[in-house]
Short mmCIF file of all heavy atoms in Angstrom, two decimals:
data_model
loop_
_atom_site.label_atom_id
_atom_site.label_comp_id
_atom_site.label_asym_id
_atom_site.label_seq_id
_atom_site.Cartn_x
_atom_site.Cartn_y
_atom_site.Cartn_z
N THR L 1 41.67 -6.21 -13.74
CA THR L 1 42.94 -6.26 -13.04
C THR L 1 43.15 -4.97 -12.26
O THR L 1 42.91 -3.90 -12.79
CB THR L 1 44.11 -6.45 -14.03
OG1 THR L 1 43.86 -7.61 -14.80
CG2 THR L 1 45.43 -6.57 -13.29
N ILE L 2 43.60 -5.13 -11.04
CA ILE L 2 43.89 -3.98 -10.18
C ILE L 2 45.40 -3.86 -10.05
O ILE L 2 46.09 -4.85 -9.87
CB ILE L 2 43.28 -4.17 -8.79
CG1 ILE L 2 41.81 -3.85 -8.78
CG2 ILE L 2 43.98 -3.37 -7.74
CD1 ILE L 2 41.17 -3.99 -7.42
N TYR L 3 45.90 -2.66 -10.16
CA TYR L 3 47.32 -2.41 -9.95
C TYR L 3 47.45 -1.51 -8.72
O TYR L 3 46.92 -0.40 -8.71
CB TYR L 3 47.94 -1.73 -11.16
CG TYR L 3 47.95 -2.62 -12.38
CD1 TYR L 3 46.98 -2.48 -13.36
CD2 TYR L 3 48.91 -3.61 -12.52
CE1 TYR L 3 46.96 -3.32 -14.47
CE2 TYR L 3 48.91 -4.45 -13.63
CZ TYR L 3 47.94 -4.29 -14.60
OH TYR L 3 47.93 -5.12 -15.69
N VAL L 4 48.13 -2.02 -7.69
CA VAL L 4 48.37 -1.25 -6.48
C VAL L 4 49.82 -1.43 -6.07
O VAL L 4 50.46 -2.42 -6.41
CB VAL L 4 47.46 -1.67 -5.31
CG1 VAL L 4 46.00 -1.40 -5.62
CG2 VAL L 4 47.66 -3.12 -4.95
N SER L 5 50.32 -0.47 -5.33
CA SER L 5 51.70 -0.58 -4.86
C SER L 5 51.78 -1.63 -3.75
O SER L 5 50.78 -1.96 -3.10
CB SER L 5 52.19 0.77 -4.33
OG SER L 5 51.53 1.09 -3.11
N ASP L 6 52.98 -2.15 -3.53
CA ASP L 6 53.19 -3.10 -2.44
C ASP L 6 52.82 -2.47 -1.10
O ASP L 6 52.25 -3.13 -0.24
CB ASP L 6 54.65 -3.56 -2.40
CG ASP L 6 55.01 -4.45 -3.58
OD1 ASP L 6 54.10 -4.97 -4.25
OD2 ASP L 6 56.22 -4.63 -3.82
N GLU L 7 53.12 -1.20 -0.95
CA GLU L 7 52.83 -0.50 0.30
C GLU L 7 51.32 -0.41 0.53
O GLU L 7 50.82 -0.65 1.63
CB GLU L 7 53.43 0.90 0.28
CG GLU L 7 53.21 1.67 1.55
CD GLU L 7 53.83 3.06 1.51
OE1 GLU L 7 54.66 3.34 0.63
OE2 GLU L 7 53.45 3.87 2.38
N THR L 8 50.58 -0.08 -0.52
CA THR L 8 49.12 0.01 -0.41
C THR L 8 48.52 -1.34 -0.09
O THR L 8 47.67 -1.46 0.78
CB THR L 8 48.52 0.56 -1.73
OG1 THR L 8 49.07 1.85 -1.98
CG2 THR L 8 47.00 0.66 -1.64
N LEU L 9 48.98 -2.38 -0.77
CA LEU L 9 48.48 -3.73 -0.50
C LEU L 9 48.80 -4.15 0.92
O LEU L 9 47.95 -4.70 1.62
CB LEU L 9 49.06 -4.72 -1.51
CG LEU L 9 48.62 -6.17 -1.36
CD1 LEU L 9 47.10 -6.29 -1.47
CD2 LEU L 9 49.31 -7.04 -2.40
N GLY L 10 50.02 -3.89 1.35
CA GLY L 10 50.42 -4.23 2.72
C GLY L 10 49.57 -3.54 3.76
O GLY L 10 49.15 -4.15 4.76
N THR L 11 49.31 -2.26 3.54
CA THR L 11 48.47 -1.49 4.46
C THR L 11 47.07 -2.08 4.52
O THR L 11 46.51 -2.27 5.61
CB THR L 11 48.41 -0.01 4.04
OG1 THR L 11 49.74 0.52 4.07
CG2 THR L 11 47.50 0.80 4.94
N ALA L 12 46.50 -2.39 3.37
CA ALA L 12 45.15 -2.95 3.32
C ALA L 12 45.11 -4.34 3.97
O ALA L 12 44.19 -4.65 4.73
CB ALA L 12 44.66 -3.03 1.88
N LEU L 13 46.12 -5.16 3.72
CA LEU L 13 46.16 -6.50 4.32
C LEU L 13 46.22 -6.41 5.84
O LEU L 13 45.59 -7.21 6.54
CB LEU L 13 47.35 -7.31 3.79
CG LEU L 13 47.19 -7.88 2.39
CD1 LEU L 13 48.52 -8.39 1.87
CD2 LEU L 13 46.15 -9.00 2.38
N HIS L 14 46.94 -5.45 6.37
CA HIS L 14 47.05 -5.32 7.83
C HIS L 14 45.76 -4.85 8.48
O HIS L 14 45.60 -4.96 9.69
CB HIS L 14 48.21 -4.41 8.21
CG HIS L 14 49.54 -5.08 8.11
ND1 HIS L 14 49.75 -6.40 8.41
CD2 HIS L 14 50.74 -4.62 7.75
CE1 HIS L 14 51.00 -6.72 8.24
NE2 HIS L 14 51.64 -5.65 7.82
N ARG L 15 44.84 -4.33 7.68
CA ARG L 15 43.54 -3.91 8.21
C ARG L 15 42.54 -5.07 8.29
O ARG L 15 41.46 -4.92 8.86
CB ARG L 15 42.96 -2.78 7.37
CG ARG L 15 43.75 -1.50 7.51
CD ARG L 15 43.12 -0.39 6.73
NE ARG L 15 43.91 0.84 6.86
CZ ARG L 15 43.66 1.94 6.20
NH1 ARG L 15 42.62 2.00 5.38
NH2 ARG L 15 44.42 3.00 6.35
N LEU L 16 42.90 -6.21 7.73
CA LEU L 16 42.06 -7.41 7.83
C LEU L 16 42.29 -8.07 9.18
O LEU L 16 43.31 -7.84 9.84
CB LEU L 16 42.41 -8.41 6.73
CG LEU L 16 42.28 -7.95 5.29
CD1 LEU L 16 42.72 -9.06 4.34
CD2 LEU L 16 40.86 -7.52 4.97
N SER L 17 41.37 -8.95 9.56
CA SER L 17 41.60 -9.73 10.77
C SER L 17 42.75 -10.70 10.51
O SER L 17 43.07 -11.03 9.35
CB SER L 17 40.34 -10.52 11.16
OG SER L 17 40.14 -11.61 10.27
N GLU L 18 43.38 -11.17 11.56
CA GLU L 18 44.49 -12.11 11.43
C GLU L 18 44.06 -13.37 10.67
O GLU L 18 44.77 -13.87 9.82
CB GLU L 18 45.03 -12.49 12.81
CG GLU L 18 46.15 -13.51 12.78
CD GLU L 18 47.41 -13.01 12.10
OE1 GLU L 18 47.71 -11.81 12.19
OE2 GLU L 18 48.10 -13.83 11.46
N LYS L 19 42.85 -13.87 10.98
CA LYS L 19 42.35 -15.08 10.32
C LYS L 19 42.14 -14.84 8.83
O LYS L 19 42.48 -15.70 8.01
CB LYS L 19 41.05 -15.54 10.98
CG LYS L 19 41.26 -16.08 12.38
CD LYS L 19 39.94 -16.47 13.02
CE LYS L 19 40.15 -16.99 14.42
NZ LYS L 19 38.88 -17.39 15.03
N GLN L 20 41.56 -13.71 8.48
CA GLN L 20 41.34 -13.40 7.06
C GLN L 20 42.66 -13.23 6.33
O GLN L 20 42.86 -13.76 5.25
CB GLN L 20 40.50 -12.13 6.92
CG GLN L 20 39.07 -12.28 7.39
CD GLN L 20 38.33 -10.97 7.45
OE1 GLN L 20 38.93 -9.90 7.52
NE2 GLN L 20 37.01 -11.04 7.42
N ARG L 21 43.57 -12.48 6.94
CA ARG L 21 44.87 -12.22 6.33
C ARG L 21 45.64 -13.53 6.11
O ARG L 21 46.19 -13.77 5.04
CB ARG L 21 45.68 -11.25 7.20
CG ARG L 21 47.01 -10.86 6.61
CD ARG L 21 47.71 -9.75 7.36
NE ARG L 21 47.76 -9.93 8.80
CZ ARG L 21 47.05 -9.23 9.68
NH1 ARG L 21 46.23 -8.28 9.28
NH2 ARG L 21 47.17 -9.45 10.96
N SER L 22 45.64 -14.40 7.11
CA SER L 22 46.35 -15.67 6.99
C SER L 22 45.77 -16.53 5.86
O SER L 22 46.52 -17.12 5.08
CB SER L 22 46.29 -16.44 8.31
OG SER L 22 47.00 -15.77 9.30
N ALA L 23 44.45 -16.60 5.80
CA ALA L 23 43.81 -17.41 4.76
C ALA L 23 44.17 -16.90 3.36
O ALA L 23 44.44 -17.69 2.45
CB ALA L 23 42.29 -17.42 4.95
N ILE L 24 44.22 -15.60 3.19
CA ILE L 24 44.58 -15.01 1.89
C ILE L 24 46.05 -15.20 1.58
O ILE L 24 46.41 -15.64 0.47
CB ILE L 24 44.20 -13.51 1.87
CG1 ILE L 24 42.67 -13.36 1.87
CG2 ILE L 24 44.81 -12.81 0.65
CD1 ILE L 24 42.19 -11.95 2.09
N LEU L 25 46.90 -14.89 2.54
CA LEU L 25 48.35 -15.01 2.28
C LEU L 25 48.77 -16.44 2.01
O LEU L 25 49.57 -16.69 1.10
CB LEU L 25 49.14 -14.43 3.46
CG LEU L 25 49.03 -12.92 3.67
CD1 LEU L 25 49.79 -12.50 4.92
CD2 LEU L 25 49.53 -12.17 2.45
N LEU L 26 48.25 -17.38 2.79
CA LEU L 26 48.63 -18.78 2.57
C LEU L 26 48.14 -19.29 1.22
O LEU L 26 48.84 -20.04 0.55
CB LEU L 26 48.11 -19.66 3.70
CG LEU L 26 48.79 -19.44 5.05
CD1 LEU L 26 48.08 -20.23 6.15
CD2 LEU L 26 50.26 -19.83 4.99
N ARG L 27 46.96 -18.88 0.82
CA ARG L 27 46.40 -19.35 -0.46
C ARG L 27 47.09 -18.70 -1.65
O ARG L 27 47.53 -19.38 -2.58
CB ARG L 27 44.89 -19.05 -0.51
CG ARG L 27 44.23 -19.37 -1.84
CD ARG L 27 44.21 -20.87 -2.07
NE ARG L 27 43.48 -21.19 -3.26
CZ ARG L 27 44.08 -21.48 -4.44
NH1 ARG L 27 45.38 -21.47 -4.52
NH2 ARG L 27 43.37 -21.77 -5.49
N TYR L 28 47.17 -17.39 -1.65
CA TYR L 28 47.62 -16.69 -2.86
C TYR L 28 49.11 -16.37 -2.90
O TYR L 28 49.66 -16.15 -3.98
CB TYR L 28 46.81 -15.40 -3.05
CG TYR L 28 45.36 -15.70 -3.30
CD1 TYR L 28 44.40 -15.49 -2.31
CD2 TYR L 28 44.93 -16.24 -4.49
CE1 TYR L 28 43.07 -15.79 -2.53
CE2 TYR L 28 43.61 -16.55 -4.72
CZ TYR L 28 42.68 -16.32 -3.73
OH TYR L 28 41.36 -16.64 -3.95
N PHE L 29 49.77 -16.36 -1.75
CA PHE L 29 51.19 -16.05 -1.75
C PHE L 29 52.06 -17.27 -1.44
O PHE L 29 53.22 -17.30 -1.80
CB PHE L 29 51.50 -14.91 -0.77
CG PHE L 29 50.93 -13.59 -1.21
CD1 PHE L 29 49.63 -13.24 -0.91
CD2 PHE L 29 51.68 -12.71 -1.97
CE1 PHE L 29 49.08 -12.04 -1.33
CE2 PHE L 29 51.15 -11.50 -2.41
CZ PHE L 29 49.86 -11.17 -2.09
N GLN L 30 51.47 -18.26 -0.76
CA GLN L 30 52.21 -19.49 -0.46
C GLN L 30 51.72 -20.67 -1.28
O GLN L 30 52.32 -21.74 -1.24
CB GLN L 30 52.09 -19.83 1.04
CG GLN L 30 52.71 -18.79 1.95
CD GLN L 30 54.21 -18.64 1.74
OE1 GLN L 30 54.92 -19.62 1.55
NE2 GLN L 30 54.70 -17.41 1.75
N GLY L 31 50.61 -20.50 -1.98
CA GLY L 31 50.10 -21.54 -2.88
C GLY L 31 49.46 -22.74 -2.20
O GLY L 31 49.29 -23.79 -2.81
N MET L 32 49.08 -22.59 -0.93
CA MET L 32 48.44 -23.70 -0.23
C MET L 32 46.96 -23.77 -0.62
O MET L 32 46.34 -22.75 -0.91
CB MET L 32 48.56 -23.50 1.29
CG MET L 32 49.99 -23.59 1.80
SD MET L 32 50.13 -23.23 3.57
CE MET L 32 49.41 -24.73 4.25
N ASN L 33 46.40 -24.99 -0.61
CA ASN L 33 44.98 -25.12 -0.91
C ASN L 33 44.19 -25.15 0.40
O ASN L 33 44.75 -25.19 1.49
CB ASN L 33 44.71 -26.35 -1.79
CG ASN L 33 45.09 -27.65 -1.11
OD1 ASN L 33 44.91 -27.83 0.08
ND2 ASN L 33 45.63 -28.58 -1.89
N ASP L 34 42.86 -25.12 0.27
CA ASP L 34 42.00 -25.05 1.46
C ASP L 34 42.22 -26.24 2.39
O ASP L 34 42.20 -26.09 3.61
CB ASP L 34 40.53 -24.98 1.05
CG ASP L 34 40.15 -23.64 0.46
OD1 ASP L 34 40.95 -22.70 0.54
OD2 ASP L 34 39.03 -23.53 -0.07
N ARG L 35 42.43 -27.41 1.84
CA ARG L 35 42.65 -28.60 2.66
C ARG L 35 43.90 -28.45 3.52
O ARG L 35 43.90 -28.73 4.72
CB ARG L 35 42.75 -29.85 1.79
CG ARG L 35 42.89 -31.14 2.58
CD ARG L 35 43.05 -32.36 1.68
NE ARG L 35 44.13 -32.23 0.71
CZ ARG L 35 45.43 -32.39 1.01
NH1 ARG L 35 45.81 -32.67 2.23
NH2 ARG L 35 46.34 -32.26 0.07
N GLU L 36 44.97 -27.98 2.90
CA GLU L 36 46.23 -27.80 3.63
C GLU L 36 46.10 -26.73 4.73
O GLU L 36 46.59 -26.92 5.85
CB GLU L 36 47.35 -27.40 2.66
CG GLU L 36 47.70 -28.48 1.67
CD GLU L 36 48.58 -27.99 0.54
OE1 GLU L 36 48.40 -26.84 0.07
OE2 GLU L 36 49.46 -28.77 0.12
N ILE L 37 45.44 -25.65 4.40
CA ILE L 37 45.26 -24.56 5.37
C ILE L 37 44.37 -25.02 6.52
O ILE L 37 44.64 -24.74 7.69
CB ILE L 37 44.71 -23.29 4.71
CG1 ILE L 37 45.65 -22.81 3.61
CG2 ILE L 37 44.48 -22.19 5.74
CD1 ILE L 37 45.08 -21.74 2.70
N SER L 38 43.31 -25.77 6.19
CA SER L 38 42.40 -26.23 7.24
C SER L 38 43.11 -27.19 8.18
O SER L 38 42.87 -27.16 9.40
CB SER L 38 41.15 -26.89 6.64
OG SER L 38 41.46 -28.10 6.00
N LYS L 39 44.00 -28.03 7.68
CA LYS L 39 44.77 -28.92 8.55
C LYS L 39 45.73 -28.12 9.43
O LYS L 39 45.91 -28.43 10.60
CB LYS L 39 45.57 -29.92 7.71
CG LYS L 39 44.73 -31.05 7.18
CD LYS L 39 45.60 -32.08 6.49
CE LYS L 39 44.76 -33.26 6.04
NZ LYS L 39 45.59 -34.32 5.45
N LEU L 40 46.33 -27.10 8.87
CA LEU L 40 47.28 -26.26 9.62
C LEU L 40 46.59 -25.60 10.82
O LEU L 40 47.15 -25.54 11.92
CB LEU L 40 47.88 -25.20 8.69
CG LEU L 40 48.85 -24.22 9.31
CD1 LEU L 40 50.14 -24.93 9.73
CD2 LEU L 40 49.19 -23.12 8.30
N TYR L 41 45.37 -25.10 10.61
CA TYR L 41 44.64 -24.38 11.66
C TYR L 41 43.62 -25.24 12.40
O TYR L 41 42.94 -24.73 13.29
CB TYR L 41 43.97 -23.14 11.08
CG TYR L 41 44.97 -22.06 10.76
CD1 TYR L 41 45.34 -21.78 9.45
CD2 TYR L 41 45.57 -21.32 11.76
CE1 TYR L 41 46.27 -20.80 9.15
CE2 TYR L 41 46.50 -20.33 11.49
CZ TYR L 41 46.85 -20.08 10.18
OH TYR L 41 47.78 -19.12 9.90
N HIS L 42 43.48 -26.51 12.02
CA HIS L 42 42.55 -27.43 12.67
C HIS L 42 41.11 -26.91 12.64
O HIS L 42 40.41 -26.91 13.66
CB HIS L 42 42.98 -27.72 14.11
CG HIS L 42 44.38 -28.22 14.22
ND1 HIS L 42 44.74 -29.51 13.84
CD2 HIS L 42 45.52 -27.61 14.61
CE1 HIS L 42 46.03 -29.66 14.03
NE2 HIS L 42 46.54 -28.52 14.49
N VAL L 43 40.71 -26.44 11.47
CA VAL L 43 39.34 -25.99 11.25
C VAL L 43 38.84 -26.59 9.94
O VAL L 43 39.63 -27.13 9.15
CB VAL L 43 39.20 -24.45 11.21
CG1 VAL L 43 39.60 -23.84 12.55
CG2 VAL L 43 40.02 -23.85 10.10
N SER L 44 37.55 -26.50 9.69
CA SER L 44 36.98 -27.07 8.46
C SER L 44 37.40 -26.26 7.23
O SER L 44 37.76 -25.09 7.33
CB SER L 44 35.46 -27.10 8.56
OG SER L 44 34.94 -25.79 8.53
N ARG L 45 37.32 -26.91 6.09
CA ARG L 45 37.61 -26.23 4.83
C ARG L 45 36.62 -25.11 4.59
O ARG L 45 36.97 -24.07 4.04
CB ARG L 45 37.59 -27.21 3.66
CG ARG L 45 38.86 -28.02 3.55
CD ARG L 45 38.90 -28.71 2.24
NE ARG L 45 38.65 -30.14 2.47
CZ ARG L 45 38.55 -31.05 1.54
NH1 ARG L 45 38.66 -30.70 0.28
NH2 ARG L 45 38.33 -32.30 1.83
N SER L 46 35.37 -25.33 4.99
CA SER L 46 34.37 -24.27 4.79
C SER L 46 34.71 -23.04 5.63
O SER L 46 34.46 -21.90 5.21
CB SER L 46 32.96 -24.77 5.09
OG SER L 46 32.84 -25.15 6.44
N ALA L 47 35.31 -23.23 6.80
CA ALA L 47 35.72 -22.09 7.63
C ALA L 47 36.83 -21.31 6.94
O ALA L 47 36.82 -20.08 6.91
CB ALA L 47 36.20 -22.56 9.01
N ILE L 48 37.78 -22.02 6.35
CA ILE L 48 38.87 -21.36 5.63
C ILE L 48 38.32 -20.63 4.42
O ILE L 48 38.68 -19.48 4.15
CB ILE L 48 39.95 -22.40 5.20
CG1 ILE L 48 40.62 -23.00 6.43
CG2 ILE L 48 40.96 -21.77 4.25
CD1 ILE L 48 41.33 -22.00 7.32
N ASN L 49 37.43 -21.27 3.69
CA ASN L 49 36.81 -20.65 2.51
C ASN L 49 36.07 -19.38 2.91
O ASN L 49 36.17 -18.34 2.23
CB ASN L 49 35.88 -21.65 1.83
CG ASN L 49 35.38 -21.17 0.51
OD1 ASN L 49 36.08 -20.49 -0.23
ND2 ASN L 49 34.15 -21.51 0.20
N SER L 50 35.34 -19.44 3.99
CA SER L 50 34.57 -18.28 4.47
C SER L 50 35.50 -17.14 4.88
O SER L 50 35.28 -15.98 4.52
CB SER L 50 33.70 -18.70 5.65
OG SER L 50 33.01 -17.61 6.17
N ARG L 51 36.56 -17.46 5.62
CA ARG L 51 37.53 -16.44 6.03
C ARG L 51 38.16 -15.76 4.83
O ARG L 51 38.29 -14.54 4.79
CB ARG L 51 38.65 -17.07 6.87
CG ARG L 51 38.21 -17.54 8.22
CD ARG L 51 39.34 -18.27 8.92
NE ARG L 51 38.88 -18.85 10.16
CZ ARG L 51 39.65 -19.57 10.96
NH1 ARG L 51 40.92 -19.79 10.65
NH2 ARG L 51 39.17 -20.08 12.07
N ARG L 52 38.54 -16.59 3.85
CA ARG L 52 39.19 -16.03 2.66
C ARG L 52 38.22 -15.16 1.87
O ARG L 52 38.57 -14.05 1.47
CB ARG L 52 39.75 -17.15 1.79
CG ARG L 52 40.61 -16.63 0.65
CD ARG L 52 41.08 -17.72 -0.28
NE ARG L 52 39.95 -18.40 -0.89
CZ ARG L 52 39.62 -19.66 -0.65
NH1 ARG L 52 40.32 -20.41 0.16
NH2 ARG L 52 38.56 -20.20 -1.23
N ASP L 53 37.01 -15.65 1.65
CA ASP L 53 36.03 -14.89 0.88
C ASP L 53 35.68 -13.57 1.55
O ASP L 53 35.63 -12.52 0.89
CB ASP L 53 34.76 -15.71 0.65
CG ASP L 53 34.96 -16.82 -0.36
OD1 ASP L 53 36.01 -16.85 -1.04
OD2 ASP L 53 34.07 -17.69 -0.46
N ARG L 54 35.46 -13.60 2.85
CA ARG L 54 35.16 -12.35 3.57
C ARG L 54 36.35 -11.40 3.52
O ARG L 54 36.19 -10.19 3.36
CB ARG L 54 34.78 -12.65 5.02
CG ARG L 54 33.42 -13.26 5.16
CD ARG L 54 33.07 -13.47 6.61
NE ARG L 54 31.81 -14.19 6.72
CZ ARG L 54 31.56 -15.13 7.60
NH1 ARG L 54 32.47 -15.47 8.50
NH2 ARG L 54 30.40 -15.73 7.62
N GLY L 55 37.53 -11.97 3.68
CA GLY L 55 38.74 -11.16 3.63
C GLY L 55 38.95 -10.51 2.27
O GLY L 55 39.33 -9.35 2.18
N LEU L 56 38.67 -11.26 1.20
CA LEU L 56 38.85 -10.72 -0.15
C LEU L 56 37.85 -9.60 -0.43
O LEU L 56 38.20 -8.59 -1.04
CB LEU L 56 38.70 -11.82 -1.20
CG LEU L 56 39.86 -12.80 -1.29
CD1 LEU L 56 39.51 -13.96 -2.21
CD2 LEU L 56 41.14 -12.10 -1.74
N ARG L 57 36.61 -9.77 0.06
CA ARG L 57 35.61 -8.70 -0.12
C ARG L 57 36.04 -7.44 0.64
O ARG L 57 35.95 -6.33 0.12
CB ARG L 57 34.23 -9.16 0.33
CG ARG L 57 33.55 -10.09 -0.65
CD ARG L 57 32.08 -10.29 -0.35
NE ARG L 57 31.82 -10.83 0.97
CZ ARG L 57 31.74 -12.13 1.27
NH1 ARG L 57 31.90 -13.03 0.32
NH2 ARG L 57 31.49 -12.53 2.50
N LYS L 58 36.51 -7.63 1.87
CA LYS L 58 36.96 -6.48 2.66
C LYS L 58 38.20 -5.85 2.03
O LYS L 58 38.32 -4.62 1.98
CB LYS L 58 37.24 -6.91 4.09
CG LYS L 58 37.58 -5.75 5.00
CD LYS L 58 37.70 -6.19 6.44
CE LYS L 58 38.05 -5.01 7.34
NZ LYS L 58 38.19 -5.41 8.75
N LEU L 59 39.11 -6.67 1.53
CA LEU L 59 40.33 -6.17 0.90
C LEU L 59 39.98 -5.33 -0.33
O LEU L 59 40.53 -4.25 -0.52
CB LEU L 59 41.24 -7.34 0.52
CG LEU L 59 42.60 -7.00 -0.08
CD1 LEU L 59 43.44 -6.22 0.90
CD2 LEU L 59 43.31 -8.28 -0.49
N GLN L 60 39.05 -5.81 -1.13
CA GLN L 60 38.63 -5.06 -2.31
C GLN L 60 38.04 -3.72 -1.91
O GLN L 60 38.35 -2.68 -2.50
CB GLN L 60 37.61 -5.85 -3.12
CG GLN L 60 37.18 -5.16 -4.39
CD GLN L 60 36.22 -6.00 -5.20
OE1 GLN L 60 35.49 -6.83 -4.66
NE2 GLN L 60 36.22 -5.80 -6.50
N LYS L 61 37.21 -3.71 -0.87
CA LYS L 61 36.60 -2.47 -0.39
C LYS L 61 37.69 -1.51 0.10
O LYS L 61 37.66 -0.31 -0.23
CB LYS L 61 35.62 -2.77 0.73
CG LYS L 61 34.93 -1.57 1.28
CD LYS L 61 33.97 -1.94 2.40
CE LYS L 61 33.37 -0.69 3.01
NZ LYS L 61 32.56 -0.96 4.18
N LEU L 62 38.63 -2.01 0.87
CA LEU L 62 39.71 -1.17 1.38
C LEU L 62 40.55 -0.58 0.26
O LEU L 62 40.90 0.61 0.27
CB LEU L 62 40.60 -1.98 2.34
CG LEU L 62 40.00 -2.35 3.68
CD1 LEU L 62 40.86 -3.39 4.37
CD2 LEU L 62 39.81 -1.12 4.54
N LEU L 63 40.89 -1.39 -0.72
CA LEU L 63 41.71 -0.92 -1.84
C LEU L 63 40.96 0.15 -2.66
O LEU L 63 41.56 1.12 -3.10
CB LEU L 63 42.15 -2.08 -2.72
CG LEU L 63 43.17 -3.02 -2.10
CD1 LEU L 63 43.38 -4.25 -2.99
CD2 LEU L 63 44.49 -2.31 -1.83
N ASN L 64 39.66 -0.04 -2.84
CA ASN L 64 38.87 0.97 -3.55
C ASN L 64 38.84 2.29 -2.78
O ASN L 64 38.88 3.36 -3.38
CB ASN L 64 37.45 0.47 -3.78
CG ASN L 64 37.39 -0.58 -4.87
OD1 ASN L 64 38.23 -0.64 -5.73
ND2 ASN L 64 36.37 -1.44 -4.79
N GLU L 65 38.76 2.21 -1.45
CA GLU L 65 38.74 3.42 -0.63
C GLU L 65 40.11 4.13 -0.64
O GLU L 65 40.17 5.34 -0.46
CB GLU L 65 38.39 3.07 0.81
CG GLU L 65 36.96 2.64 0.98
CD GLU L 65 36.65 2.11 2.38
OE1 GLU L 65 37.59 2.03 3.22
OE2 GLU L 65 35.49 1.76 2.63
N MET L 66 41.17 3.38 -0.86
CA MET L 66 42.52 3.94 -0.79
C MET L 66 42.95 4.56 -2.13
O MET L 66 43.99 5.20 -2.20
CB MET L 66 43.52 2.86 -0.37
CG MET L 66 43.28 2.35 1.04
SD MET L 66 44.28 0.93 1.46
CE MET L 66 45.82 1.74 1.86
N GLU L 67 42.17 4.38 -3.17
CA GLU L 67 42.52 4.92 -4.51
C GLU L 67 42.56 6.43 -4.49
O GLU L 67 41.85 7.13 -3.86
CB GLU L 67 41.53 4.45 -5.56
CG GLU L 67 41.73 3.03 -5.95
CD GLU L 67 40.78 2.63 -7.08
OE1 GLU L 67 39.81 3.35 -7.37
OE2 GLU L 67 41.02 1.59 -7.67
#
């Protein structure tokens, strides 16, 4: 488990691409699933999954660098 401040998380999220940030925020903060997000953006579920996975890896790297 990682504990970070809201400010640190916000800063790191803003360093992601818009597509990565949206995929993460919609999934983990709005509770939407890949199917719902893919319909919203008119892209495949695999595209959403890829955006989210890449975004999460980058987010983890950014948060580690900010410690």
Side-chain angles (χ1 to χ4, degrees):
T1 304
I2 280 182
Y3 294 99
V4 296
S5 70
D6 290 343
E7 182 180 345
T8 301
L9 180 58
T11 299
L13 283 168
H14 282 325
R15 291 183 181 174
L16 301 178
S17 73
E18 177 65 33
K19 290 178 181 181
Q20 292 171 339
R21 184 171 48 252
S22 293
I24 291 170
L25 292 176
L26 291 173
R27 174 69 175 100
Y28 296 106
F29 292 86
Q30 297 297 320
M32 294 176 72
N33 62 38
D34 288 350
R35 183 183 54 78
E36 294 167 323
I37 300 169
S38 68
K39 283 186 176 184
L40 178 67
Y41 287 105
H42 305 286
V43 297
S44 69
R45 280 193 253 177
S46 63
I48 295 299
N49 189 36
S50 177
R51 290 174 186 179
R52 188 184 61 247
D53 287 349
R54 287 183 186 141
L56 288 172
R57 284 193 301 270
K58 186 173 180 181
L59 184 62
Q60 183 177 26
K61 181 181 175 186
L62 289 167
L63 290 172
N64 286 336
E65 290 172 358
M66 296 171 81
E67 285 184 346

